[in-house]
Amino acid sequence: MSSTKTAKKSASKNEEREKLTVRRDVGRLEYLDPHDLVVDAFNHRKKRESGDATEPDAALLASVRAVGVQVPLLVRPQADGAGLGVVWGQRRLRAALAVAAEARKRGRPYALVPCLVRKDLAGADDEALMASMVENTHRAAAGERDDVDALVQLSLMEMSDGRRARYAKALGYRAAEVRAANGAAGLGDRELASALAASFDLVEAAELAEVNDVPGALDALSAAKADDRREGKNGRGHWAHALGRLRQEKAERQQRERVEAELAAAKVPVVAHRPSWSSGPARPLADLTTGLRRPLTPEAHAASCPGHAAALGPDSEPVFVCSDWRRRGHLLNQRAREDEGRRSEDRAAEAARRQHLSENEQAWRAAREVRWSFLVELCARKTASDATWQLVLSTVLENPRFYSRFGQRRCSELIARFLGVAEADRGSVDKLRQVVARTGRTRRWRPLLAQVAAAWESEVMGDRAWHAPSTELREWLGFLAAEGYTLSEIERRVSVDRVPQAQS
């Protein structure tokens, strides 16, 4: 086709389009000084006794401060000749004036604002009022999902950290929230709305998404957030402990599912676990013998007895049982017979005590992860408090037995963790030496604190330390609490009380 024919065809399309379309002028775009603008008398938004709807909120101020006014104001000439009046965009004007005042106070330039100048509205008060109402009435905020999806895109775009942080500030978010948006996007629409309604930020929403399949996760984290707010320290201690417990529960559920899948693959039936096996047809193989009084091993029992099965205990470890031991001709061993001779009340009390100890052990392990995260933060602070120096110096100079034991073991992994060394490099002494070598003169207390903290954690706060809390344990928890650490429930309890002793 020749260029002439192409031009004629294009002209024909344009003529047809002009017949089918209507042009509505929205004004001429100009950049104006906000100080030269006034609020039009027919602006729909008014200041009321019940509340000032004309004032910009903190989010709008932050946005204008970061990137200026992005959406143009609609202005028209005033009847009295007093410049241009804002028909819509009053809150944006007030934000621009507030930010301009800040800039002037610092001796810096301030930004002009984009405006659509509508000279055709001069004297047309009815059209001005209608335009203002249309702008306020038909404007709807984007949904939570739209915001999160957009932030996910922003987090994935190639740009400098400073640029991304500036955009985040303009949108009313922290840079950490932009980075967490992808995790928060894992929540369903209803769950995301519930999280934001509970005043979760996007970092917290992403952490909720991580454990959302654990029953009661939203309620547990909401209660923890409320506890943190009541303390008024702007901390996340209760949140961290609640999240740690939920992560632990999720890991245990996943472990249980893996074990159940392995048992199913091996065609081993799963029966309910019981705190006490003294009643009912099932009994652990550890309590049984063959008819010839020989111990029953899982391998031999699986090969010879149709009643071979397994029960999953609180730790998700399989307890191999015979599902009907009397019918299969098995006998109780001596220890089990002695246990049967005890009163049922004593057996129930012992089962409850074991369950209580198991719950405490799980809580102690969950609290440890949160405590270690706090120690990473403590070792990264700009300065060491007087209490920190006192604890470090007294530990080094007095050289208590636990500190000597730790020094003899030459364990560097925990020291490296507290200094923020990546998990893959924590076992490398050379990596730890590099970190120490790069530490500036005013920060040299950090490796020393990390070493002392590792000694306390390794030697004083072991897996069974909560069974019989020592003076050192209470001293260490007291120091951490004074430095801003939020004690978990079991840590608070062992700080003041004694918990049930574990059987050796």
Side-chain angles (χ1 to χ4, degrees), residues 204-383:
E204 292 165 339
E207 291 173 337
L208 169 63
E210 181 186 345
V211 296
N212 193 50
D213 53 347
V214 178
L218 176 60
D219 291 340
L221 291 175
S222 297
K225 188 174 181 69
D227 289 340
D228 284 327
R229 283 180 171 174
R230 275 193 293 272
E231 287 192 353
K233 299 178 182 178
N234 296 322
R236 281 173 30 105
H238 293 289
W239 175 283
H241 283 299
L243 181 62
R245 291 191 297 272
L246 290 168
R247 283 171 171 164
Q248 183 184 59
E249 184 175 347
K250 179 176 181 176
E252 290 170 353
R253 288 162 62 89
Q254 291 174 336
Q255 171 65 12
R256 188 178 188 89
E257 290 171 359
R258 284 194 294 269
V259 173
E260 287 176 343
E262 292 172 358
L263 292 172
K267 298 182 179 180
V268 177
V270 176
V271 300
H273 188 273
R274 300 168 62 90
S276 175
W277 298 94
S278 58
S279 61
R283 193 82 184 205
L285 300 185
D287 292 349
L288 302 175
T289 68
T290 66
L292 299 177
R293 297 291 183 184
R294 293 181 178 177
L296 276 173
T297 65
E299 295 78 14
H301 189 256
S304 61
C305 183
H308 186 67
L312 298 184
D315 57 359
S316 298
E317 288 298 318
V319 176
F320 291 103
V321 303
C322 182
S323 58
D324 197 347
W325 65 279
R326 290 186 179 89
R327 181 183 172 191
R328 303 303 177 188
H330 304 316
L331 302 175
L332 294 177
N333 58 28
Q334 183 176 350
R335 181 187 55 78
R337 290 197 304 273
E338 291 174 353
D339 184 65
E340 287 289 315
R342 300 168 61 194
R343 294 186 308 166
S344 59
E345 294 85 351
D346 293 338
R347 291 197 300 270
E350 175 61 20
R353 190 191 69 84
R354 286 197 300 267
Q355 177 67 21
H356 183 59
L357 292 177
S358 176
E359 291 172 354
N360 280 337
E361 287 171 355
Q362 292 175 354
W364 188 251
R365 290 195 299 270
R368 173 186 292 153
E369 289 300 315
V370 179
R371 196 169 63 244
W372 285 3
S373 295
F374 174 81
L375 284 167
V376 174
E377 182 269 322
L378 184 62
C379 290
R381 290 181 179 177
K382 292 182 178 180
T383 58

Side-chain angles (χ1 to χ4, degrees), residues 38-57:
V38 297
V39 177
D40 192 276
F42 289 89
N43 189 296
H44 176 226
R45 194 183 293 272
K46 306 293 184 184
K47 183 175 181 179
R48 308 290 181 186
E49 291 184 1
S50 57
D52 190 356
T54 68
E55 280 295 317
D57 55 27

Side-chain angles (χ1 to χ4, degrees), residues 18-38:
E18 288 177 1
K19 293 178 182 179
L20 298 174
T21 59
V22 176
R23 175 173 175 173
R24 293 193 181 277
D25 292 327
V26 294
R28 184 181 68 255
L29 180 64
E30 296 184 17
Y31 282 84
L32 305 175
D33 190 315
H35 300 93
D36 294 339
L37 303 175
V38 297

Side-chain angles (χ1 to χ4, degrees), residues 418-455:
F418 294 160
L419 288 175
V421 175
E423 184 175 358
D425 297 324
R426 288 175 190 165
S428 170
V429 176
D430 289 339
K431 186 67 175 180
L432 187 57
R433 286 173 180 163
Q434 293 172 16
V435 172
V436 173
R438 290 197 304 266
T439 302
R441 180 180 302 175
T442 60
R443 304 287 189 265
R444 288 176 182 167
W445 57 272
R446 291 175 175 174
L448 186 57
L449 173 60
Q451 196 254 8
V452 168

